[in-house]
Amino acid sequence: MKIGVYPGSFDPITNGHLDIIERGSKICEKLIVAVLDNQSKSALFTVEERVGMIEETVKGMDNVEIDYFSGLLIDYAKEKNADAIIKGLRAVSDFEYEFQMALMNKKLSEEVETLFLMTSNKHSYLSSSIIKEVAHFGGCIEGLVPEVVKQRILNKLQKSEKQ
Ligand code: PNS
């Protein structure tokens, strides 16, 4: 496949996301990791910070590009001439919503496929929110996020506690 778009909030990127990026980049000539710029969602990190952390994490993966988008994902995917939207599926609980989004995106454009990669077993319980919660209450997040991200989460939480 030529171009794949891997969309998400990535607030922040986890090792589960990284796994999908690594595997997705092997099946696409170019993989675009697209961060949703959603002002209404209360995020820990700004879009710029999220993009920056992904860039640092995927350094050296030559066919991976990082970008951000707002509005409809399908419009963004078409603008980028994507062949497919790549998504990670963790568990049955993800399936219903992902299925609904895939069908809606297919309804909006026949040309773009949605491709699901099953998350590796060891990452299936990871999500950005649960990692932020564990870190917030002082739990260990070693090995759950890239090292650079771990430090940023801890710094961010320290700052917000001081305020
Ligand atoms: O990491 P997330 O928060 O699960 O990612 C969700 C995302 C960004 C893939 C989804 O919210 C999305 O596609 N948003 C863009 C708006 C859109 O196209 N909505 C209609 C989906 S059918």
Side-chain angles (χ1 to χ4, degrees):
M1 186 202 318
K2 277 208 166 123
I3 303 175
V5 167
Y6 176 36
S9 302
F10 302 106
D11 184 41
I13 181 171
T14 68
N15 282 347
H17 293 130
L18 181 58
D19 171 52
I20 299 294
I21 295 173
E22 283 169 347
R23 288 158 54 204
S25 70
K26 288 184 191 144
I27 52 177
C28 303
E29 283 175 29
K30 179 166 85 175
L31 181 70
I32 305 171
V33 181
V35 178
L36 176 67
D37 184 2
N38 184 352
Q39 307 292 350
S40 70
K41 222 173 170 183
S42 58
L44 181 63
F45 293 98
T46 65
V47 174
E48 291 75 19
E49 289 171 328
R50 287 182 263 158
V51 166
M53 283 185 281
I54 304 172
E55 276 169 352
E56 287 183 55
T57 302
V58 306
K59 232 181 246 167
M61 295 171 70
D62 292 339
N63 66 336
V64 178
E65 264 181 39
I66 326 298
D67 195 10
Y68 59 90
F69 75 103
S70 54
L72 283 180
L73 170 62
I74 197 70
D75 290 341
Y76 175 79
K78 283 201 295 190
E79 183 192 309
K80 293 289 168 185
N81 288 319
D83 303 290
I85 292 164
I86 311 268
K87 290 286 196 83
L89 260 193
R90 284 168 301 191
V92 180
S93 50
D94 278 347
F95 180 77
E96 206 169 327
Y97 184 51
E98 290 295 345
F99 187 52
Q100 187 184 20
M101 283 198 285
L103 290 182
M104 178 54 84
N105 283 330
K106 193 73 182 165
K107 159 88 180 70
L108 295 171
S109 172
E110 280 285 328
E111 300 145 42
V112 186
E113 293 294 339
T114 300
L115 206 70
F116 290 103
L117 296 182
M118 299 306 295
T119 301
S120 307
N121 221 3
K122 62 179 177 176
H123 297 126
S124 61
Y125 64 99
L126 291 186
S127 73
S128 301
S129 353
I130 205 167
I131 288 169
K132 284 184 284 189
E133 189 171 319
V134 170
H136 176 72
F137 291 111
C140 176
I141 56 167
E142 187 70 43
L144 308 184
V145 289
E147 199 51 35
V148 48
V149 175
K150 184 183 109 187
Q151 214 40 58
R152 301 283 163 80
I153 296 180
L154 299 178
N155 293 347
K156 190 69 114 173
L157 291 174
Q158 256 173 11
K159 261 191 209 159
S160 65
E161 272 161 24
K162 277 186 196 156
Q163 281 168 0

